[in-house]
Amino acid sequence: MKKLGAFLTSLVLVAVFAGLYGALHDQLSFTIAPEYFTKFKYDQFAFEPSWFGGDRPTVAVIGFLATWWVGAFIGLFLGGTALLQPDAPSMRRAITRGVLVTLGVAAVCALLGLTYGWFFLNGPPEGWRLPSDVLDPHAFLSVASMHNASYGGGVLGLIIALTDMEWRRTTRKPIK
C-alpha cells in the first residue's frame, strides 16, 4: 500500500516539478526572444497577457501548461519502474534520482539547443514556419531550437534515468 501511495504521489509531484521547469524555462526564453511568445505562443494558447497580469506571468502559465503533462508522462514511467524496488523508501529515492537526472538532461539539452540555434541556424529549417512579422528571427529561431531540444532532452533524460534505475536494482547498487 505504501508503494502505491509513493507511485501516485510521484505522478502528481513530477507533473508539478515539470510544470515549474517549464515556467522557468519560458522565463529564459522570453528574455531571449519575447516575440516567440507575443507572435506565436500567445496565439497558440489563445491567451492575452492582461488576463494574467502581464507578459511574465503569462509566459510562466504557458510554460507550466506546456510541460506539466510531460512530467505526468515521466512520472508514470519513473513511478511504474520504481514499483520494482523492494520497499517504499527505496522507491522514493529511485524516483527522486530519476527526476533529477531527467530534469538535468533536459536542461543541458535546452542549453545545447539554444547554442545550436544561436550559432548555427541561419534560417528556418525545413518544415518550420516563422511568423512573417518577426523582427528578430535569429532570437526566435534560437528559442524554438531550445524548446525542441528541451523536449528531446526530457525523453533522453527519462531513458537514462530508467536505465540507471533498472541497473541499480538488478546489480543491487543502492540508490542514495
Side-chain angles (χ1 to χ4, degrees):
M1 190 62 156
K2 287 182 180 182
K3 286 172 70 172
L4 179 60
F7 172 73
L8 294 174
T9 301
S10 74
L11 289 177
V12 173
L13 290 179
V14 176
V16 169
F17 284 130
L20 294 173
Y21 169 87
L24 291 172
H25 180 281
D26 281 5
Q27 292 301 312
L28 175 61
S29 300
F30 185 80
T31 300
I32 297 166
E35 289 180 302
Y36 186 76
F37 293 88
T38 61
K39 297 187 178 173
F40 175 55
K41 287 292 184 179
Y42 289 173
D43 290 339
Q44 185 181 42
F45 280 79
F47 282 175
E48 292 292 332
S50 62
W51 299 349
F52 302 96
D55 286 316
R56 290 290 181 174
T58 306
V59 166
V61 170
I62 288 172
F64 189 93
L65 293 176
T67 56
W68 75 266
W69 64 272
V70 178
F73 174 80
I74 289 168
L76 180 66
F77 281 92
L78 288 176
T81 304
L83 282 169
L84 299 172
Q85 296 294 322
D87 53 38
S90 297
M91 187 178 168
R92 282 191 288 275
R93 285 191 301 274
I95 292 168
T96 300
R97 180 180 174 90
V99 167
L100 293 174
V101 166
T102 304
L103 286 174
V105 172
V108 167
C109 286
L111 293 175
L112 290 173
L114 177 61
T115 301
Y116 172 78
W118 198 260
F119 292 106
F120 299 104
L121 277 181
N122 297 319
E126 184 78 29
W128 284 24
R129 283 188 312 146
L130 189 65
S132 60
D133 59 344
V134 170
L135 299 176
D136 189 352
H138 180 70
F140 188 101
L141 290 171
S142 296
V143 165
S145 177
M146 176 183 170
H147 280 246
N148 289 342
S150 188
Y151 282 111
V155 172
L156 177 61
L158 175 61
I159 292 167
I160 292 169
L162 291 173
T163 302
D164 176 67
M165 189 184 299
E166 185 59 12
W167 177 79
R168 287 174 179 280
R169 185 185 71 79
T170 58
T171 60
R172 306 286 190 258
K173 299 280 184 192
I175 296 174
K176 297 176 182 174

